[in-house]
Amino acid sequence: MRTVIRRLGRMLAACALVAATALAGVVVTGGAAHADGCYTWGRTLSQGMSGNDVKQLQIRVSGYPGYGAVLALDGVYGPATRSAVIRFQQAYGLSADGVAGPQTFNKIYALQDNDCTPANFSYAEMNKCNSSWSGGAVSASTAKFNALVSMWKLQAMRRALGNVPLYVSSGFRSYSCNSAVGGASNSRHLYGDGVDLVGSPSFCRIAQQARYHGFSNILGPGYPGHSDHTHLGATSSRSWSASSCGI
Ligand code: ZN
C-alpha cells in the first residue's frame, strides 16, 4: 500500500512537472518569440521611439486616429500614434496603456494574413482592375501600399460596426479602368486607397462611421453618382459629402 502511495506521489510530481513545462511553453509563445508570416516586431514600442517598426505599427492602427483625423505613417511614435494604439487596445479589450508590447503585437499577428492584409480584406478584393497595380496615378508599389492601409482602416471600421461584413465593389483602378466606369479624373481609385463599399449596414451608416477611421475622402448618398455605394479614400484635405446622410 505504501509503495502504491509512493508511486502515485511520483506520478503526481511528474504530472506537475509536465504542467509546469507546458505553462512555461505558453508564456514563451506569448512573448517576443512569436514569429509571424508577415512581420515580427522585435521590441516593445512606446512614445518617443522611431523606426520602421513604428511605421509598421502605424499602418496597423491607422484605422484608430480619432474623429476626422488621419494618422501620419512617418515612423515616429508621437502622441497621435500613442492615442491610436490606445483606441486599438480598447477595441480589442487589451489593457489600454498606449504602449505596443507583446499583447498588442499578438493581437495584430492574429489579425493579419501572411501577405500583411487584415483578416477580412484581401488584395484581390481591392483590385479587380489588373493584377499588376500599374497604370494608375502612382507607382504600382505605392498603389498597393495605399490599398493595404485602406484595408486596415476598413478592418477597424468593421470592428466598430459590430463585425458586420463590408464589401469592396471597386478599389484600385488604372486610368483605363477608371474611365471605363466613368470615374472622376482625379479619383482616389487611381491612387489605390479609394474604395467603394456596398453591403451592410446602410450607406449612410458607413459614411458616418468612416469619419472615425482615417478616411478623409467620403462620398455617399446625396453626392452625385453615389446612391448605390459609399466611396471612401484618403486625401490630404478633408472632403466629405453625403448630404442625404447629413454630412
Ligand atoms: Zn469611389
Side-chain angles (χ1 to χ4, degrees):
M1 186 61 192
R2 195 171 290 169
T3 318
V4 171
I5 289 171
R6 217 179 290 143
R7 222 177 265 163
L8 198 62
R10 273 205 301 273
M11 278 171 66
L12 284 173
C15 285
L17 190 66
V18 168
T21 310
L23 197 62
V26 168
V27 171
V28 169
T29 310
H34 191 117
D36 185 81
C38 160
Y39 183 84
T40 304
W41 281 271
R43 58 174 180 164
T44 290
L45 299 174
S46 58
Q47 193 169 330
M49 298 172 85
S50 61
N52 181 56
D53 49 2
V54 174
K55 182 177 178 181
Q56 292 298 322
L57 173 66
Q58 288 171 327
I59 293 166
R60 273 73 167 185
V61 299
S62 60
Y64 295 93
Y67 183 88
V70 178
L71 184 67
L73 308 177
D74 57 4
V76 178
Y77 204 124
T81 299
R82 181 176 182 274
S83 296
V85 168
I86 288 174
R87 291 188 196 94
F88 174 87
Q89 291 169 330
Q90 288 169 337
Y92 287 99
L94 309 176
S95 60
D97 57 3
V99 174
Q103 258 204 329
T104 301
F105 295 140
N106 282 336
K107 178 49 69 180
I108 294 173
Y109 296 145
L111 274 177
Q112 74 184 355
D113 296 327
N114 285 344
D115 66 355
C116 303
T117 60
N120 296 100
F121 299 92
S122 69
Y123 282 122
E125 185 177 9
M126 290 290 287
N127 182 356
K128 298 174 181 106
C129 168
N130 63 41
S131 57
S132 63
W133 296 85
S134 60
V138 290
S139 71
S141 61
T142 298
K144 195 174 178 183
F145 176 79
N146 290 343
L148 177 68
V149 176
S150 276
M151 282 187 268
W152 280 99
K153 293 176 179 178
L154 291 175
Q155 189 72 33
M157 185 163 88
R158 182 186 194 282
R159 174 92 184 163
L161 289 168
N163 296 318
V164 294
L166 297 173
Y167 301 107
V168 179
S169 60
S170 183
F172 168 76
R173 297 174 196 154
S174 65
Y175 278 104
S176 58
C177 288
N178 192 53
S179 47
V181 296
S185 61
N186 61 346
S187 166
R188 292 310 300 175
H189 293 280
L190 296 163
Y191 295 79
D193 54 84
V195 289
D196 290 347
L197 288 179
V198 295
S200 63
S202 72
F203 300 137
C204 281
R205 186 79 187 84
I206 291 171
Q208 286 156 351
Q209 188 65 35
R211 298 173 293 181
Y212 292 88
H213 301 289
F215 292 107
S216 48
N217 174 224
I218 301 171
L219 304 172
Y223 187 83
H226 288 68
S227 57
D228 59 354
H229 69 279
T230 290
H231 166 96
L232 306 177
T235 42
S236 51
S237 59
R238 220 166 71 170
S239 51
W240 292 346
S241 183
S243 54
S244 302
C245 314
I247 70 169

